[in-house]
Amino acid sequence: MIQAFGLTSNPRQELPPAVDDVSFEAPTGRVTALLGAHASGKTTAVRLMLELQQGRGITHFRGRPLHRIPHPSREVGVLLGEVQGHPSRTVRGQLRMLCAAVGVPVQRADEVLEVVGIVSLREQRLGTLSRGMDRRLGLACALLADPHTLVLDAPADGLSARESKWLHGILRAHASLGGTVLFTTDDAKEAARTADRVVSLESGRVIADQGVADFSRTRLRPRVAVRSPHAARLGVLLAKEARATQRSVEVVNEDGNRLSVYGSNCADVGETAFRHSILVHQLADEVGDAGPAVRVPVRVRDEEVRGPEPTAPQATGAEASPLAAEPSEPAAPSVQAQAPACTSPARDSSHSTSTFVPLPTDADLDGVASRAATLPADDPDSETSGTPSAPAPPPAPLSPLPPPITIHPARSPLRPLRYEVRRATGIATGYLTAAAVLVASAIVAVLLGRTGHTPQSRLLAAWPQELPLPPAALGAGLLGAFAFGDEFRHPALAADRGTVPRRLGLLCAKLAVAAAIAVLLAFLVVASDVLLLHLVYGEELTEVPADWLSTSASWLALVVGCAWAGVLAAGVFRSTTAGLAAVLAVPVLVVPVVQKALEGPSVRTAAGLPSRLRDLALVHWPFGAERFLAAVLRMIAQPVGGALMLSLTALLCAYLLTVLRPRAR
């Protein structure tokens, strides 16, 4: 069951809030429609319920707000707009990645593809899907974790009649299995055909909360559609004849030449037009929406709380519209809508203040019971019975506003390492980047071998003196920047809770995958360069350097450090370009600063540090670890190594600051 209390969006400068004190229920085992015209506040209400937008109010999903549910995607399946994913990712790859995010077996992806009927499109790219197929994929994402509740925003928008019928059948089947379904629509006929209960919104407020039978009787009344160049004259004549014959007929002028006649039929309207020689272009029976004229207050009005206030007399229906019947005639049946059992006192559509009464919690009830136990009993024999007691302090006034809604970031994927591997390998961008790096490194290595003045270590890494970084390091940094920048442009977890979360578990997975890809890329670059140099110039330029171990460690550390810099910078700035810029800033900006600091006058140096550390240790270093420590210190002492370490430390601190700051608030 969904219970929404006092949903109110924040004011929009000089405009009123898009949603103003909306309260309703969506019962279990039923399909509930949130009906309203364009800009009536349907989408805003849904976003407030899902805590994706700031405002006020509270929404319970089976008795708990969304931020209190450990795994929201397993409780609520969401469809908001189009499927958020990289356009180059396949349908099956998108679902498999989300399986790792919500913690379900990967076989679930194929199951939901069969449920929504797009198994044949599993290898198709997201960017090539039609509107109907995108809706089916969005429904598959919502059903992926087998949630109890479905919240869908305009799921049938842009679908054909056949596709809409199929979609409504899926929603009905989910509700019949004991689930809860809430969807928004602007089509009254669709709501009447699909839903069991209809909540009508107008200008951000609830004007009716009805069962589908009452809704169909009051909002979908039979009418006669008339088109005539003399529509105004015909409307006056129909209203005049209705008063003369004591019949309840309502005539609504839709536009300049169209009339909607309620309470009559085509024969009577046609005879009236014939008698008065009025040309008619269209005369047909329809079942249409009665429009926003039906207003049913479903909550307690402010007059019942504060008492009646003097109001100015209002015009009757006959005075307001010359085409309406006389007030003495029987009016159209009114709507007897039942208010939800858990709704709070709220304001009517004609008032601007509301009263929100929060439900007492268990802690409040326990506190009341403990205070009652400490009060003296009303015993006439007790010594304190005649002592006048001090007057009790007045109770604290309740807040007139519902609690604020805070945007809670999405939790990390339940299986972050699997999620990250499927994200990185699911699109062709990474493969194309690696191929471009291999080609560029091979060309640079061949050109450097032709000159014959490049050291062997730089020759194998294809790193000339003129370039700030080798192609492999730049490629690793770019692949690392894709880890966050690409996801923020195409959030993969939109079906869960909005944009991709910046959590430490997900960060560790991204750093591990980025390091593995960087090491693999570095090995492939060196291997391809050695093979090409041997093919072009022979064995002379493929000799292994004497210090190959320390050189290899420095090479891998450089590539992995660039990849991590790209990951952290893209996570902080939410941009792939910023991640690549942070990688380039290390040799271009940070290295000169470090060199300036090291070139200054110095009295003491750090020479002999490993031996002094060995002397301070209580036991001997095992396996000659002092040599590895000395090698690490030598790498850090280099300008590029020190600058890269400094950049990584600064980016990591900035990332942690952005993660911890929302928690502190």
Side-chain angles (χ1 to χ4, degrees), residues 274-339:
F274 178 76
R275 286 196 303 268
H276 295 85
S277 301
I278 296 178
L279 178 64
V280 175
H281 291 163
Q282 179 188 8
L283 189 62
D285 289 320
E286 290 184 355
V287 177
D289 185 9
V294 180
R295 292 180 177 270
V296 182
V298 297
R299 296 178 296 275
V300 181
R301 293 194 176 189
D302 286 348
E303 299 92 57
E304 299 176 10
V305 179
R306 301 177 304 185
E309 295 180 0
T311 58
Q314 298 181 356
T316 61
E319 296 173 349
S321 174
L323 303 181
E326 292 183 353
S328 59
E329 299 174 354
S334 61
V335 183
Q336 300 295 333
Q338 297 180 357

Side-chain angles (χ1 to χ4, degrees), residues 86-407:
H86 196 283
S88 299
R89 199 179 305 277
T90 63
V91 170
R92 191 167 181 260
Q94 175 79 3
L95 292 177
R96 289 169 63 91
M97 184 178 63
L98 292 180
C99 285
V102 300
V104 297
V106 71
Q107 294 80 8
R108 179 64 179 169
D110 297 325
E111 294 176 3
V112 296
L113 285 176
E114 293 182 0
V115 171
V116 301
I118 54 174
V119 178
S120 60
L121 302 179
R122 58 185 178 182
E123 299 302 328
Q124 191 168 347
R125 307 292 178 181
L126 297 185
T128 61
L129 293 179
S130 63
R131 177 66 174 177
M133 297 302 103
D134 184 84
R135 295 279 88 183
R136 289 177 181 252
L137 178 58
L139 185 60
C141 295
L143 295 172
L144 193 61
D146 194 16
H148 174 271
T149 303
L150 290 180
V151 179
L152 314 175
D153 184 24
D157 185 20
L159 300 185
S160 63
R162 181 179 179 181
E163 292 173 334
S164 298
K165 184 178 180 180
W166 170 87
L167 176 63
H168 298 155
I170 292 290
L171 301 184
R172 176 61 59 188
H174 184 82
S176 63
L177 295 176
T180 304
V181 178
L182 174 68
F183 73 97
T184 66
T185 180
D186 56 359
D187 188 357
K189 296 180 183 179
E190 177 189 0
R193 288 192 303 264
T194 309
D196 300 306
R197 192 164 194 85
V198 181
V199 179
S200 301
L201 293 183
E202 182 184 346
S203 301
R205 298 179 181 178
V206 176
I207 61 172
D209 189 348
Q210 311 163 265
V212 67
D214 292 338
F215 173 79
S216 300
R217 185 177 67 251
T218 57
R219 294 292 299 272
L220 297 181
R221 296 181 293 166
R223 67 183 181 185
V224 179
V226 184
R227 285 189 180 274
S228 172
H230 309 288
R233 180 188 172 199
L234 179 59
V236 173
L237 293 174
L238 291 174
K240 182 178 179 180
E241 291 185 358
R243 289 193 296 268
T245 57
Q246 298 294 320
R247 290 186 298 113
S248 177
V249 175
E250 181 182 0
V251 181
V252 178
N253 191 352
E254 301 289 349
D255 53 30
N257 61 351
R258 177 182 172 89
L259 294 178
S260 293
V261 184
Y262 299 92
S264 185
N265 52 55
C266 288
D268 294 340
V269 175
E271 290 178 1
T272 302
F274 178 76
R275 286 196 303 268
H276 295 85
S277 301
I278 296 178
L279 178 64
V280 175
H281 291 163
Q282 179 188 8
L283 189 62
D285 289 320
E286 290 184 355
V287 177
D289 185 9
V294 180
R295 292 180 177 270
V296 182
V298 297
R299 296 178 296 275
V300 181
R301 293 194 176 189
D302 286 348
E303 299 92 57
E304 299 176 10
V305 179
R306 301 177 304 185
E309 295 180 0
T311 58
Q314 298 181 356
T316 61
E319 296 173 349
S321 174
L323 303 181
E326 292 183 353
S328 59
E329 299 174 354
S334 61
V335 183
Q336 300 295 333
Q338 297 180 357
C342 298
T343 53
S344 61
R347 53 178 168 266
D348 184 300
S349 59
S350 60
H351 297 277
S352 59
T353 59
S354 64
T355 304
F356 179 82
V357 182
L359 299 178
T361 61
D362 295 338
D364 298 334
L365 298 178
D366 295 341
V368 173
S370 62
R371 289 194 298 270
T374 58
L375 295 177
D378 190 9
D379 187 359
D381 297 333
S382 62
E383 297 179 359
T384 61
S385 59
T387 304
S389 59
L398 296 175
S399 174
L401 297 175
I405 297 176
T406 304
I407 299 177

